[in-house]
Amino acid sequence: MRTTEDLIETLAKDVRPMPRHGIERRMFLGMLVGGATALLLLTLLYGIRSDLNLALRDSSFWVRWIYTASLGVGAILVTRHLARPGSEPSRWIWFLAVPVLLLMGIGITELAHASPSEWLSLWLGRYWEVCPGRILLLSIPIFLGLLWAFRRFAPTRLSAAGAAAGLTAGAWSATLYCLHCPEVSAIFVLTWFSLGIALATAAGVLLGRHLLRW
Amino acid sequence: MATSEEQLRAMMIAGLEGNAEAHAALLSALVPILRAYCRQRVRNDPDEIEDIVQEILIAVHTRRSTYDRSRSLTAWLFAIARYKLVDHFRRRRHLRFIEDASEMPLAESLENADSARIDLKRLLEQLPRKQAKAIWDTKIEGLSVSEAAASAGIGTSDIKVSVHRGLQALMARIRGDK
């Protein structure tokens, strides 16, 4: 067994200066590479919707994008918090419910304005079967980018950190998927986009316990 | 020499800015603190304590970018120390579990073998001594016929016949008992 003095001497040979926002930088880098990969996959596998120009003028597109992106921003904050040792999932994570509740409000208004015979088609759209699975698939590269970032982090609540990373990956994957998905109803997004994001979060919990160990 | 939170933090921040001497001084200053921390929680095995202390030091070094300079250094340090200690216990328990698992069936089969031996002895006691000894030597102890013959001071054919007759008598007795 080497002595502790030798160990310290070895460790002290490798003292590079650490940037002030090391956690943020690593997360940004990991997500940038993961997100770019996800975007490439999206383009190759599903394609960007051709009427994107038109869609950008449509409020329902923005509702969807704001929903997924605000979840994504909240999830990044939680992930960053859990990257440090000793941090507990704090109470403010309930802020993540705000976008869900807002979208729920919009969805209910939407249903109220439609006749009950249209409800099912608003809810299921044309692509409800593929949407959650695709969001889960596209979240994989983003999750891998976060796993890379976590290799220098020190999470002490592994399941929670895994959930946060999964939620981040899922929400940003859904944000990218908006570039493809032609569905417009709020209730569709609320159900099927959220299901894809939830699947990514659940996968994060299961994987986090094993893969985030250090 | 006890080092205060303020001193430790100053060394840590200097280390984060690339000052290797300050970083080495920090790690050295942490050693007695971590030893004391582990000693309270691990049974008194200096090697084991030193192992954990080294693991914590490596973690402090490799994860140092997760320290938030505006927060308490000792809180950060003990969060890492606790994680590594729990990790150490978890792995050791796992190890001990494996050891237990490999020992248990062994112990059980030894016990079974012992009780089988006792049953067999009881059965053999019912035979004439010559037959019992012939069977015991050749079938249980694993001696060859000539070795058993030499040990009993009789001929090899005598052994063969004794084994044969003895086994037949045992078979008859077991069948009869049922």
Side-chain angles (χ1 to χ4, degrees), chain A residues 1-4 7-8 11-12 14-20 84-86 151-154 156 158 213-214, chain B residues 15-18 20 23-24 31 50-51 54 57 59 61-69 76 79 83-84 90:
Chain A
M1 195 180 79
R2 65 181 158 175
T3 68
T4 304
L7 174 72
I8 291 175
L11 294 179
D14 168 38
V15 186
R16 277 163 299 153
M18 289 284 144
R20 216 159 241 282
R84 294 184 196 280
R151 286 173 45 176
R152 280 277 172 270
F153 298 166
T156 46
L158 301 188
R213 243 175 225 167
W214 48 283
Chain B
L16 285 172
E17 278 156 10
H23 188 64
V31 171
E50 212 54 24
D51 262 0
Q54 292 188 4
L57 285 176
H61 176 77
T62 56
R63 317 273 152 174
R64 64 191 191 278
S65 71
T66 63
Y67 173 61
D68 179 345
R69 292 163 217 219
W76 176 81
Y83 177 85
K84 280 293 170 188
R90 188 177 47 73

Side-chain angles (χ1 to χ4, degrees), chain B residues 45-113:
Chain B
D45 177 355
D47 279 353
E48 193 181 351
I49 289 171
E50 212 54 24
D51 262 0
I52 308 172
V53 167
Q54 292 188 4
E55 269 185 54
I56 300 171
L57 285 176
I58 292 172
V60 163
H61 176 77
T62 56
R63 317 273 152 174
R64 64 191 191 278
S65 71
T66 63
Y67 173 61
D68 179 345
R69 292 163 217 219
S70 62
R71 302 222 181 152
S72 152
L73 180 85
T74 36
W76 176 81
L77 172 74
F78 287 128
I80 289 183
R82 191 179 316 122
Y83 177 85
K84 280 293 170 188
L85 198 65
V86 170
D87 190 55
H88 177 84
F89 283 141
R90 188 177 47 73
R91 266 185 294 164
R92 228 189 37 182
R93 194 164 52 226
H94 193 63
L95 207 68
R96 204 187 296 151
F97 177 71
I98 293 169
E99 281 166 7
D100 285 351
S102 62
E103 272 171 23
M104 229 153 33
L106 188 69
E108 223 167 85
S109 65
L110 277 176
E111 219 170 79
N112 287 342

Side-chain angles (χ1 to χ4, degrees), chain A residues 21-28 80 83-84 153, chain B residues 65-66:
Chain A
H21 298 286
I23 289 184
E24 289 82 354
R25 279 173 191 236
R26 264 186 92 87
M27 274 181 69
F28 177 74
R80 181 186 68 168
R84 294 184 196 280
F153 298 166
Chain B
S65 71
T66 63

Side-chain angles (χ1 to χ4, degrees), chain B residues 3 10-11 15 34 38 89 125 129 177:
Chain B
T3 326
M11 288 190 266
L34 294 175
C38 294
F89 283 141
E125 272 167 14
R129 271 197 60 188
D177 282 351

Side-chain angles (χ1 to χ4, degrees), chain B residues 136-164:
Chain B
W136 187 264
D137 285 354
T138 56
K139 302 296 177 192
I140 310 298
E141 298 295 335
L143 300 182
S144 70
V145 172
S146 50
E147 280 165 347
S151 132
I154 53 178
T156 53
S157 58
D158 210 351
I159 289 286
K160 281 183 197 165
V161 170
S162 295
V163 168
H164 181 72

